[in-house]
Amino acid sequence: MPTIIYDDTPSALPYSFQYTPSDDDPGIIYLGGSAWAAQPNAMIGLTLEVNGSVVCSAQVFSNGPSTHRTLVPGVVKYAFPIDVKDKVVQPVTVTIAALNAETIFDQNDRIILMQY
């Protein structure tokens, strides 16, 4: 059964939050969402970072300008790093950022991040 880590529209990118993984078993990370570009013929997308390291990206080539596009989801096998202090699992920092300067993300776009 999937665990939804994030499903919302952040106010701005990059967007960071704390997430406490339940274990360090490898699972499947799914990153999906939408974005748009002001210029035609641009690769746009989102990247997912955990503790500053890029884990995966979701992207699409946008031929036309000013149209919100569904990104091709990023799917990757991944095990969250586990840091235990005083028998308590410490949270990791998750950051979702624009793939590049051409990527525009606004209040009409959404991000979903899940772990299977």
Side-chain angles (χ1 to χ4, degrees):
M1 183 159 170
T3 299
I4 296 174
I5 298 172
Y6 185 83
D7 182 12
D8 205 352
T9 300
S11 57
L13 294 180
Y15 177 72
S16 295
F17 60 94
Q18 299 293 304
Y19 172 69
T20 304
S22 58
D23 58 51
D24 61 351
D25 291 338
I28 302 297
I29 293 292
Y30 172 98
L31 173 66
S34 60
W36 60 282
Q39 302 298 320
N41 305 321
M43 180 64 73
I44 58 173
L46 302 170
T47 61
L48 170 67
E49 298 176 11
V50 176
N51 291 340
S53 296
V54 175
V55 173
C56 71
S57 63
Q59 55 196 35
V60 71
F61 191 81
S62 180
N63 289 320
S66 303
T67 301
H68 292 265
R69 307 283 181 192
T70 301
L71 304 174
V72 176
V75 179
V76 65
K77 185 175 180 179
Y78 183 74
F80 280 99
I82 296 289
D83 180 21
V84 179
K85 292 184 182 167
D86 298 323
K87 300 182 182 178
V88 176
V89 176
Q90 300 301 300
V92 296
T93 300
V94 175
T95 302
I96 301 169
L99 179 70
N100 53 30
E102 288 78 26
T103 301
I104 301 172
F105 185 91
D106 64 24
Q107 72 276 5
N108 297 308
D109 294 299
R110 191 167 189 92
I111 295 170
I112 185 161
L113 175 60
M114 297 186 295
Q115 179 183 21
Y116 291 86

Short mmCIF file of all heavy atoms in Angstrom, two decimals, residues 48-100:
data_model
loop_
_atom_site.label_atom_id
_atom_site.label_comp_id
_atom_site.label_asym_id
_atom_site.label_seq_id
_atom_site.Cartn_x
_atom_site.Cartn_y
_atom_site.Cartn_z
N LEU A 48 13.42 15.96 -7.01
CA LEU A 48 13.23 15.56 -5.63
C LEU A 48 14.60 15.36 -5.00
O LEU A 48 15.42 14.61 -5.54
CB LEU A 48 12.43 14.25 -5.55
CG LEU A 48 12.36 13.60 -4.18
CD1 LEU A 48 11.57 14.46 -3.20
CD2 LEU A 48 11.76 12.21 -4.29
N GLU A 49 14.84 16.04 -3.90
CA GLU A 49 16.09 15.88 -3.16
C GLU A 49 15.77 15.41 -1.75
O GLU A 49 14.77 15.84 -1.15
CB GLU A 49 16.84 17.21 -3.06
CG GLU A 49 17.26 17.80 -4.36
CD GLU A 49 17.92 19.16 -4.20
OE1 GLU A 49 18.24 19.56 -3.06
OE2 GLU A 49 18.09 19.84 -5.22
N VAL A 50 16.62 14.52 -1.24
CA VAL A 50 16.54 14.10 0.16
C VAL A 50 17.89 14.41 0.79
O VAL A 50 18.93 13.96 0.30
CB VAL A 50 16.20 12.60 0.28
CG1 VAL A 50 16.23 12.16 1.74
CG2 VAL A 50 14.83 12.30 -0.33
N ASN A 51 17.86 15.23 1.82
CA ASN A 51 19.08 15.69 2.51
C ASN A 51 20.10 16.25 1.52
O ASN A 51 21.30 16.03 1.65
CB ASN A 51 19.69 14.56 3.33
CG ASN A 51 18.84 14.20 4.53
OD1 ASN A 51 18.00 14.97 4.97
ND2 ASN A 51 19.06 13.01 5.06
N GLY A 52 19.64 16.96 0.50
CA GLY A 52 20.52 17.63 -0.45
C GLY A 52 20.97 16.81 -1.64
O GLY A 52 21.63 17.34 -2.53
N SER A 53 20.61 15.53 -1.69
CA SER A 53 20.99 14.68 -2.82
C SER A 53 19.78 14.43 -3.71
O SER A 53 18.70 14.07 -3.22
CB SER A 53 21.51 13.33 -2.33
OG SER A 53 22.69 13.51 -1.58
N VAL A 54 19.97 14.62 -5.02
CA VAL A 54 18.87 14.40 -5.97
C VAL A 54 18.53 12.92 -6.04
O VAL A 54 19.42 12.08 -6.23
CB VAL A 54 19.23 14.94 -7.37
CG1 VAL A 54 18.13 14.61 -8.37
CG2 VAL A 54 19.46 16.44 -7.32
N VAL A 55 17.27 12.61 -5.87
CA VAL A 55 16.78 11.23 -5.90
C VAL A 55 16.16 10.91 -7.25
O VAL A 55 16.42 9.86 -7.82
CB VAL A 55 15.75 11.00 -4.77
CG1 VAL A 55 15.10 9.63 -4.88
CG2 VAL A 55 16.42 11.18 -3.41
N CYS A 56 15.33 11.81 -7.77
CA CYS A 56 14.70 11.59 -9.08
C CYS A 56 14.11 12.90 -9.58
O CYS A 56 14.12 13.92 -8.89
CB CYS A 56 13.64 10.49 -9.02
SG CYS A 56 12.13 10.91 -8.13
N SER A 57 13.59 12.85 -10.80
CA SER A 57 12.92 14.01 -11.37
C SER A 57 11.71 13.56 -12.17
O SER A 57 11.62 12.41 -12.60
CB SER A 57 13.87 14.81 -12.26
OG SER A 57 14.29 14.03 -13.35
N ALA A 58 10.77 14.47 -12.33
CA ALA A 58 9.60 14.29 -13.18
C ALA A 58 9.68 15.40 -14.22
O ALA A 58 9.86 16.57 -13.86
CB ALA A 58 8.32 14.38 -12.37
N GLN A 59 9.56 15.07 -15.49
CA GLN A 59 9.75 16.10 -16.51
C GLN A 59 8.95 15.80 -17.76
O GLN A 59 8.46 14.69 -17.95
CB GLN A 59 11.23 16.25 -16.84
CG GLN A 59 11.89 14.95 -17.26
CD GLN A 59 13.40 15.05 -17.21
OE1 GLN A 59 13.97 15.71 -16.36
NE2 GLN A 59 14.06 14.37 -18.13
N VAL A 60 8.85 16.80 -18.62
CA VAL A 60 8.20 16.66 -19.91
C VAL A 60 8.73 17.75 -20.83
O VAL A 60 9.12 18.83 -20.37
CB VAL A 60 6.66 16.73 -19.78
CG1 VAL A 60 6.18 18.15 -19.47
CG2 VAL A 60 5.97 16.20 -21.02
N PHE A 61 8.76 17.46 -22.13
CA PHE A 61 9.13 18.47 -23.11
C PHE A 61 7.87 19.21 -23.51
O PHE A 61 6.91 18.61 -23.99
CB PHE A 61 9.79 17.83 -24.33
CG PHE A 61 10.43 18.82 -25.24
CD1 PHE A 61 11.69 19.33 -24.96
CD2 PHE A 61 9.78 19.28 -26.37
CE1 PHE A 61 12.28 20.27 -25.79
CE2 PHE A 61 10.36 20.21 -27.21
CZ PHE A 61 11.62 20.71 -26.92
N SER A 62 7.84 20.50 -23.30
CA SER A 62 6.66 21.31 -23.59
C SER A 62 6.87 22.08 -24.89
O SER A 62 7.70 22.98 -24.96
CB SER A 62 6.42 22.30 -22.44
OG SER A 62 5.28 23.09 -22.69
N ASN A 63 6.11 21.70 -25.92
CA ASN A 63 6.24 22.36 -27.21
C ASN A 63 5.62 23.75 -27.23
O ASN A 63 6.18 24.67 -27.79
CB ASN A 63 5.61 21.51 -28.32
CG ASN A 63 6.41 20.27 -28.60
OD1 ASN A 63 7.62 20.31 -28.62
ND2 ASN A 63 5.72 19.16 -28.79
N GLY A 64 4.46 23.88 -26.62
CA GLY A 64 3.76 25.16 -26.64
C GLY A 64 3.95 25.94 -25.35
O GLY A 64 4.11 25.35 -24.28
N PRO A 65 3.93 27.26 -25.42
CA PRO A 65 4.09 28.09 -24.23
C PRO A 65 2.77 28.28 -23.47
O PRO A 65 1.69 28.10 -24.03
CB PRO A 65 4.58 29.41 -24.79
CG PRO A 65 3.90 29.50 -26.13
CD PRO A 65 3.87 28.08 -26.64
N SER A 66 2.90 28.64 -22.21
CA SER A 66 1.77 29.08 -21.37
C SER A 66 0.66 28.05 -21.23
O SER A 66 -0.51 28.42 -21.12
CB SER A 66 1.20 30.40 -21.91
OG SER A 66 2.23 31.37 -21.96
N THR A 67 1.01 26.78 -21.22
CA THR A 67 0.04 25.70 -21.03
C THR A 67 0.55 24.78 -19.93
O THR A 67 1.68 24.29 -20.02
CB THR A 67 -0.16 24.89 -22.33
OG1 THR A 67 -0.62 25.78 -23.35
CG2 THR A 67 -1.18 23.79 -22.13
N HIS A 68 -0.27 24.56 -18.93
CA HIS A 68 0.13 23.66 -17.85
C HIS A 68 0.23 22.24 -18.40
O HIS A 68 -0.65 21.78 -19.12
CB HIS A 68 -0.89 23.70 -16.71
CG HIS A 68 -0.88 25.02 -16.01
ND1 HIS A 68 -0.15 25.26 -14.87
CD2 HIS A 68 -1.50 26.19 -16.30
CE1 HIS A 68 -0.33 26.50 -14.48
NE2 HIS A 68 -1.15 27.10 -15.34
N ARG A 69 1.31 21.57 -18.08
CA ARG A 69 1.59 20.22 -18.58
C ARG A 69 1.69 19.24 -17.41
O ARG A 69 2.30 19.55 -16.39
CB ARG A 69 2.91 20.16 -19.34
CG ARG A 69 3.05 21.18 -20.45
CD ARG A 69 2.28 20.78 -21.66
NE ARG A 69 2.49 21.80 -22.69
CZ ARG A 69 1.78 21.88 -23.78
NH1 ARG A 69 0.83 21.01 -24.02
NH2 ARG A 69 2.02 22.83 -24.65
N THR A 70 1.12 18.06 -17.60
CA THR A 70 1.34 16.98 -16.65
C THR A 70 2.73 16.42 -16.90
O THR A 70 3.09 16.13 -18.04
CB THR A 70 0.29 15.87 -16.84
OG1 THR A 70 -1.01 16.43 -16.65
CG2 THR A 70 0.52 14.74 -15.87
N LEU A 71 3.51 16.29 -15.86
CA LEU A 71 4.87 15.80 -16.00
C LEU A 71 4.88 14.28 -16.06
O LEU A 71 4.06 13.61 -15.43
CB LEU A 71 5.71 16.26 -14.81
CG LEU A 71 5.74 17.77 -14.58
CD1 LEU A 71 6.48 18.08 -13.28
CD2 LEU A 71 6.37 18.49 -15.75
N VAL A 72 5.81 13.74 -16.84
CA VAL A 72 6.02 12.29 -16.84
C VAL A 72 6.62 11.95 -15.48
O VAL A 72 7.67 12.49 -15.11
CB VAL A 72 6.95 11.86 -17.99
CG1 VAL A 72 7.22 10.37 -17.91
CG2 VAL A 72 6.36 12.26 -19.34
N PRO A 73 5.96 11.10 -14.71
CA PRO A 73 6.40 10.85 -13.34
C PRO A 73 7.81 10.28 -13.26
O PRO A 73 8.25 9.53 -14.14
CB PRO A 73 5.40 9.83 -12.80
CG PRO A 73 4.21 9.96 -13.68
CD PRO A 73 4.74 10.37 -15.03
N GLY A 74 8.49 10.65 -12.20
CA GLY A 74 9.78 10.04 -11.88
C GLY A 74 9.51 8.87 -10.95
O GLY A 74 8.81 9.01 -9.94
N VAL A 75 10.04 7.71 -11.29
CA VAL A 75 9.86 6.50 -10.49
C VAL A 75 11.24 5.87 -10.29
O VAL A 75 11.95 5.62 -11.26
CB VAL A 75 8.91 5.50 -11.18
CG1 VAL A 75 8.74 4.24 -10.35
CG2 VAL A 75 7.55 6.14 -11.47
N VAL A 76 11.61 5.63 -9.03
CA VAL A 76 12.94 5.12 -8.75
C VAL A 76 12.90 4.24 -7.49
O VAL A 76 12.13 4.51 -6.56
CB VAL A 76 13.95 6.28 -8.58
CG1 VAL A 76 13.64 7.13 -7.39
CG2 VAL A 76 15.37 5.79 -8.53
N LYS A 77 13.73 3.22 -7.47
CA LYS A 77 13.90 2.41 -6.27
C LYS A 77 14.79 3.21 -5.32
O LYS A 77 15.84 3.70 -5.71
CB LYS A 77 14.55 1.07 -6.61
CG LYS A 77 14.65 0.13 -5.44
CD LYS A 77 15.20 -1.21 -5.88
CE LYS A 77 15.28 -2.15 -4.70
NZ LYS A 77 15.80 -3.47 -5.10
N TYR A 78 14.35 3.33 -4.06
CA TYR A 78 15.07 4.19 -3.13
C TYR A 78 14.84 3.73 -1.69
O TYR A 78 13.73 3.32 -1.33
CB TYR A 78 14.59 5.64 -3.29
CG TYR A 78 15.32 6.62 -2.42
CD1 TYR A 78 16.62 7.01 -2.71
CD2 TYR A 78 14.72 7.17 -1.31
CE1 TYR A 78 17.31 7.91 -1.92
CE2 TYR A 78 15.39 8.08 -0.51
CZ TYR A 78 16.69 8.44 -0.82
OH TYR A 78 17.37 9.34 -0.03
N ALA A 79 15.85 3.82 -0.87
CA ALA A 79 15.75 3.57 0.57
C ALA A 79 16.11 4.86 1.30
O ALA A 79 17.21 5.39 1.11
CB ALA A 79 16.69 2.44 0.99
N PHE A 80 15.20 5.37 2.08
CA PHE A 80 15.47 6.58 2.84
C PHE A 80 16.60 6.33 3.84
O PHE A 80 16.66 5.26 4.45
CB PHE A 80 14.23 7.05 3.60
CG PHE A 80 13.25 7.79 2.75
CD1 PHE A 80 12.14 7.14 2.24
CD2 PHE A 80 13.44 9.12 2.45
CE1 PHE A 80 11.23 7.81 1.45
CE2 PHE A 80 12.54 9.81 1.66
CZ PHE A 80 11.43 9.15 1.16
N PRO A 81 17.49 7.30 4.02
CA PRO A 81 18.54 7.14 5.04
C PRO A 81 17.91 7.22 6.43
O PRO A 81 17.02 8.03 6.67
CB PRO A 81 19.46 8.33 4.78
CG PRO A 81 18.62 9.34 4.09
CD PRO A 81 17.59 8.57 3.32
N ILE A 82 18.34 6.35 7.30
CA ILE A 82 17.82 6.32 8.66
C ILE A 82 18.92 6.76 9.63
O ILE A 82 20.03 6.24 9.61
CB ILE A 82 17.32 4.91 9.04
CG1 ILE A 82 16.14 4.49 8.17
CG2 ILE A 82 16.96 4.82 10.52
CD1 ILE A 82 14.85 5.24 8.45
N ASP A 83 18.58 7.73 10.44
CA ASP A 83 19.48 8.22 11.49
C ASP A 83 18.71 8.11 12.80
O ASP A 83 17.68 8.77 12.97
CB ASP A 83 19.88 9.66 11.20
CG ASP A 83 20.83 10.21 12.26
OD1 ASP A 83 21.47 9.42 12.97
OD2 ASP A 83 20.91 11.46 12.37
N VAL A 84 19.19 7.26 13.71
CA VAL A 84 18.51 7.06 14.98
C VAL A 84 19.35 7.69 16.09
O VAL A 84 20.54 7.42 16.22
CB VAL A 84 18.32 5.55 15.27
CG1 VAL A 84 17.64 5.33 16.60
CG2 VAL A 84 17.53 4.89 14.15
N LYS A 85 18.70 8.55 16.86
CA LYS A 85 19.34 9.18 18.02
C LYS A 85 18.46 8.95 19.24
O LYS A 85 17.26 9.27 19.18
CB LYS A 85 19.54 10.69 17.78
CG LYS A 85 20.55 10.99 16.71
CD LYS A 85 20.79 12.46 16.57
CE LYS A 85 21.79 12.69 15.44
NZ LYS A 85 21.87 14.06 15.03
N ASP A 86 19.05 8.40 20.27
CA ASP A 86 18.30 8.10 21.50
C ASP A 86 17.04 7.28 21.20
O ASP A 86 15.96 7.56 21.71
CB ASP A 86 17.93 9.39 22.25
CG ASP A 86 19.15 10.15 22.70
OD1 ASP A 86 20.14 9.50 23.09
OD2 ASP A 86 19.12 11.40 22.66
N LYS A 87 17.19 6.31 20.30
CA LYS A 87 16.12 5.38 19.91
C LYS A 87 14.97 6.04 19.16
O LYS A 87 13.88 5.50 19.07
CB LYS A 87 15.59 4.62 21.12
CG LYS A 87 16.65 3.80 21.82
CD LYS A 87 16.07 3.04 22.98
CE LYS A 87 17.17 2.27 23.70
NZ LYS A 87 16.67 1.55 24.86
N VAL A 88 15.22 7.22 18.62
CA VAL A 88 14.20 7.94 17.85
C VAL A 88 14.72 8.18 16.44
O VAL A 88 15.82 8.74 16.27
CB VAL A 88 13.84 9.29 18.51
CG1 VAL A 88 12.85 10.07 17.68
CG2 VAL A 88 13.30 9.06 19.92
N VAL A 89 13.94 7.79 15.44
CA VAL A 89 14.32 8.02 14.04
C VAL A 89 14.21 9.52 13.76
O VAL A 89 13.17 10.15 14.02
CB VAL A 89 13.42 7.23 13.08
CG1 VAL A 89 13.75 7.56 11.63
CG2 VAL A 89 13.55 5.73 13.32
N GLN A 90 15.28 10.07 13.22
CA GLN A 90 15.32 11.50 12.92
C GLN A 90 14.73 11.76 11.53
O GLN A 90 14.88 10.95 10.61
CB GLN A 90 16.77 12.01 12.97
CG GLN A 90 17.42 11.81 14.32
CD GLN A 90 16.66 12.51 15.43
OE1 GLN A 90 16.50 13.72 15.39
NE2 GLN A 90 16.19 11.76 16.41
N PRO A 91 14.06 12.90 11.34
CA PRO A 91 13.50 13.21 10.02
C PRO A 91 14.58 13.55 9.00
O PRO A 91 15.68 13.97 9.36
CB PRO A 91 12.61 14.42 10.29
CG PRO A 91 13.15 15.03 11.53
CD PRO A 91 13.77 13.92 12.33
N VAL A 92 14.23 13.36 7.74
CA VAL A 92 15.08 13.79 6.63
C VAL A 92 14.48 15.07 6.06
O VAL A 92 13.30 15.36 6.27
CB VAL A 92 15.19 12.70 5.53
CG1 VAL A 92 15.87 11.46 6.07
CG2 VAL A 92 13.82 12.37 4.95
N THR A 93 15.29 15.82 5.35
CA THR A 93 14.80 17.03 4.68
C THR A 93 14.50 16.69 3.23
O THR A 93 15.38 16.24 2.50
CB THR A 93 15.83 18.16 4.75
OG1 THR A 93 16.09 18.46 6.13
CG2 THR A 93 15.32 19.42 4.05
N VAL A 94 13.26 16.88 2.85
CA VAL A 94 12.81 16.63 1.48
C VAL A 94 12.63 17.98 0.81
O VAL A 94 11.98 18.88 1.35
CB VAL A 94 11.48 15.85 1.47
CG1 VAL A 94 10.94 15.69 0.05
CG2 VAL A 94 11.64 14.50 2.14
N THR A 95 13.22 18.13 -0.38
CA THR A 95 13.09 19.38 -1.13
C THR A 95 12.60 19.05 -2.54
O THR A 95 13.16 18.17 -3.20
CB THR A 95 14.43 20.13 -1.22
OG1 THR A 95 14.90 20.40 0.11
CG2 THR A 95 14.29 21.43 -1.99
N ILE A 96 11.58 19.77 -2.96
CA ILE A 96 11.08 19.66 -4.33
C ILE A 96 11.37 20.99 -4.99
O ILE A 96 11.00 22.05 -4.48
CB ILE A 96 9.58 19.33 -4.35
CG1 ILE A 96 9.33 18.00 -3.63
CG2 ILE A 96 9.07 19.29 -5.79
CD1 ILE A 96 7.91 17.67 -3.36
N ALA A 97 12.08 20.93 -6.12
CA ALA A 97 12.54 22.15 -6.79
C ALA A 97 12.23 22.09 -8.27
O ALA A 97 11.99 21.02 -8.83
CB ALA A 97 14.04 22.32 -6.56
N ALA A 98 12.28 23.25 -8.91
CA ALA A 98 12.13 23.31 -10.36
C ALA A 98 13.35 22.65 -11.01
O ALA A 98 14.48 22.80 -10.54
CB ALA A 98 12.01 24.76 -10.82
N LEU A 99 13.11 21.93 -12.10
CA LEU A 99 14.19 21.26 -12.83
C LEU A 99 15.18 22.26 -13.39
O LEU A 99 16.38 22.01 -13.42
CB LEU A 99 13.58 20.41 -13.95
CG LEU A 99 14.53 19.65 -14.85
CD1 LEU A 99 15.18 18.50 -14.08
CD2 LEU A 99 13.80 19.12 -16.08
N ASN A 100 14.67 23.40 -13.85
CA ASN A 100 15.52 24.41 -14.50
C ASN A 100 14.80 25.76 -14.49
O ASN A 100 13.68 25.88 -13.98
CB ASN A 100 15.85 23.97 -15.93
CG ASN A 100 14.61 23.63 -16.72
OD1 ASN A 100 13.53 24.17 -16.50
ND2 ASN A 100 14.73 22.70 -17.64
#
